[in-house]
């Protein structure tokens, strides 16, 4: 396994553990599915989560990937969870389009 793959796997595991501890959901890493990928984590209904631990942040690319994987998974919402360099997993960024955030906060 490459160093980048190891780093990504470690970040995905850390985020899954954090969400398990801080939410009511049992969150797990999802198996890779190539071009039909459905996000990196499972366990939160209606969400597709794409996790990124990259040296440089490419929000547009990350969001395009999250949107495509959300389409594959058939979820209502999607977000990219992006590692913040040299910080704890709890300080990662959660990125989503503004229209989606507005829809999310107005739900019943």
């Amino acid at each position: 396994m490459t160093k980048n793959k190891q780093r990504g796997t470690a970040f995905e595991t850390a985020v899954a553990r954090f969400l398990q501890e801080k939410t009511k959901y049992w969150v797990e890493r999802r198996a890779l599915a190539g071009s039909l990928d459905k996000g990196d984590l499972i366990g939160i209904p209606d969400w597709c989560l794409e996790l990124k631990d990259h040296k440089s942040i490419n929000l547009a690319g990350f969001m395009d990937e999250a949107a495509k994987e959300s389409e594959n998974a058939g979820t209502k919402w999607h977000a990219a969870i992006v590692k913040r360099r040299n910080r704890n997993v709890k300080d990662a960024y959660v990125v989503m389009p503004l229209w989606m955030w507005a829809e999310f906060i107005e739900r019943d």
Side-chain angles (χ1 to χ4, degrees):
M1 183 182 291
T2 67
K3 188 175 181 178
N4 287 341
K5 189 74 163 163
Q6 289 174 336
R7 196 172 67 224
T9 297
F11 182 58
E12 290 171 10
T13 300
V15 171
R17 285 185 184 143
F18 177 83
L19 292 173
Q20 285 175 16
E21 292 172 6
K22 300 296 182 183
T23 71
K24 64 183 178 183
Y25 300 106
W26 183 259
V27 180
E28 296 180 307
R29 292 182 60 235
R30 185 189 291 272
L32 297 175
S35 64
L36 298 177
D37 202 1
K38 297 178 180 180
D40 294 320
L41 300 180
I42 58 172
I44 302 176
D46 295 324
W47 280 96
C48 177
L49 300 173
E50 180 61 25
L51 278 61
K52 296 295 183 184
D53 180 0
H54 289 227
K55 206 172 225 181
S56 61
I57 295 176
N58 173 5
L59 291 182
F62 297 167
M63 292 308 301
D64 288 346
E65 189 173 347
K68 177 62 177 160
E69 293 179 5
S70 177
E71 185 179 312
N72 291 343
T75 61
K76 184 172 185 171
W77 296 301
H78 60 274
I81 299 178
V82 182
K83 183 168 187 340
R84 187 171 175 189
R85 303 270 30 106
N86 302 313
R87 297 295 287 264
N88 187 285
V89 68
K90 71 183 180 80
D91 295 319
Y93 306 112
V94 179
V95 183
M96 67 175 66
L98 178 58
W99 67 264
M100 186 177 296
W101 182 73
E103 181 179 297
F104 179 73
I105 65 172
E106 285 297 316
R107 74 196 187 292
D108 293 324

